[in-house]
Amino acid sequence: RQLTRRCMLDGRRCYASLAQPPEAPAIHHSTRFLSGAAPLQLALLVLNVDGESLFADSVLSRLWKGAALRMCADGGANRLHDGLPAAMRSQMLPDQIRGDLDSLRPDVAEFYRGLGVRIEHEPEQDTHDIEKCLRWLKREQEGAARAFTVVAFGAFGGRLDHTMANLNMLHRYSCFASFVLLSAESVAVLLPPGRNVVEVDTAAEDGTCGLIPLGGRCEGVRTSGLRWDLDGQIALEFGGLVSSSNQVTGSQVVMETTAPLLWTSNLRRMPAR
């Protein structure tokens, strides 16, 4: 777009065109890989969270089949092992198990080690097991032709401090093509400042969503594509407004934010295939 400025030159009127700075391109996010094949370099990370029923979940079953790399964070290997029928355990092997290994049971370690699964012990206690895995993935993708789309399953539920630590990883690791936190019930991605477009997987998601100002006050948040759109007049912040239990009205939501903003969406319950 251009603005026209009226001016005087040698006593005559003239018009000078001032070009407006172009809008920054929108940042696109898509969860459509949840229900169908997508051309992604998918790294699937299974976390150790109480109460998760792993491979009874159809989304996780499809992600496992389509992943280029499969990892377990420490006791996530226990969840994988125990969540599979005995006959399937040797057919669905992770590429590696990584962490401080304080949660990995000896019988599970022996089972996977006997089948050639790589088990990496990182004893330092300054980071969580999920971060040990993310740090390795970051190094692994350096110099690669394509960055990873990282999906961490089992990110919500169980201990609240673990859930908060997982959410913190969204803020710390923006180096991937996409980084998604997932459970059997919910999916979450971090929207950076600017204009964001989320393409919703309507086959896997039920339309219930939220915008959570997890990292601090978010001003000027504007949306289109929600039942209760935000117009930027009221800041999102804890102690004030949090947009929860909103509804997606189509297959795409556009959001503008001045600060990082957590997008969450509920998943449909579908039987495993």
Side-chain angles (χ1 to χ4, degrees):
R1 292 179 296 174
Q2 289 187 327
L3 296 177
T4 301
R5 182 178 66 188
R6 184 173 174 178
C7 62
M8 296 296 294
L9 180 63
D10 294 333
R12 295 172 296 170
R13 290 178 178 173
C14 67
Y15 295 87
S17 294
L18 300 176
Q20 274 190 333
E23 289 184 355
I27 303 163
H28 285 261
H29 314 264
S30 177
T31 55
R32 292 180 181 172
F33 64 87
L34 292 172
S35 67
L40 303 173
Q41 186 74 352
L42 181 63
L44 179 61
L45 177 55
V46 178
L47 306 182
N48 183 22
V49 174
D50 293 334
E52 285 290 2
S53 176
L54 287 181
F55 282 85
D57 182 83
S58 62
V59 170
L60 183 58
S61 299
R62 282 193 293 271
L63 292 177
W64 183 272
K65 294 173 185 176
L69 181 65
R70 307 171 185 95
M71 298 181 69
C72 292
D74 198 352
N78 301 338
R79 304 293 175 189
L80 174 63
H81 177 274
D82 296 348
L84 291 171
M88 292 185 62
R89 288 171 184 162
S90 62
Q91 301 173 32
M92 302 183 71
L93 300 175
D95 295 294
Q96 69 167 274
I97 301 166
R98 181 174 292 269
D100 62 9
L101 306 186
D102 64 339
S103 300
L104 180 64
R105 296 201 315 265
D107 63 305
V108 174
E110 181 180 1
F111 173 80
Y112 284 121
R113 189 178 287 113
L115 292 171
V117 174
R118 178 180 171 188
I119 300 178
E120 295 291 342
H121 182 212
E122 292 193 24
E124 57 90 0
Q125 295 297 300
D126 293 330
T127 58
H128 297 274
D129 291 319
I130 182 176
E131 184 159 13
K132 291 176 171 66
C133 294
L134 294 171
R135 191 168 55 195
W136 182 87
L137 286 169
K138 180 181 179 181
R139 293 194 303 266
E140 189 72 6
Q141 78 173 7
E142 290 175 358
R146 299 174 64 192
F148 286 120
T149 292
V150 178
V151 177
F153 185 87
F156 314 119
R159 284 173 48 181
L160 179 59
D161 61 335
H162 282 173
T163 296
M164 297 304 294
N166 295 338
L167 291 167
N168 184 46
M169 292 301 100
L170 291 177
H171 288 264
R172 287 177 58 85
Y173 286 84
S174 58
C175 55
F176 303 115
S178 182
F179 182 16
V180 178
L181 298 183
L182 186 67
S183 71
E185 294 82 21
S186 301
V187 59
V189 297
L190 188 66
L191 308 179
R195 188 169 183 264
N196 293 267
V197 178
V198 175
E199 297 175 356
V200 179
D201 189 335
T202 55
E205 298 169 73
D206 69 10
T208 303
C209 63
L211 286 168
I212 314 298
L214 190 64
R217 180 182 175 92
C218 297
E219 297 182 339
V221 178
R222 294 176 174 82
T223 69
S224 62
L226 299 178
R227 182 177 180 184
W228 295 283
D229 274 321
L230 304 175
D231 61 6
Q233 298 300 308
I234 301 176
L236 297 185
E237 60 182 333
F238 284 102
L241 176 64
V242 172
S243 178
S244 63
S245 300
N246 213 321
Q247 287 287 328
V248 175
T249 58
S251 61
Q252 182 174 281
V253 182
V254 179
M255 289 160 281
E256 294 182 20
T257 177
T258 57
L261 189 60
L262 186 72
W263 165 262
T264 70
S265 178
N266 282 10
L267 299 181
R268 300 182 189 275
R269 277 293 191 177
M270 296 181 290
R273 295 188 298 179

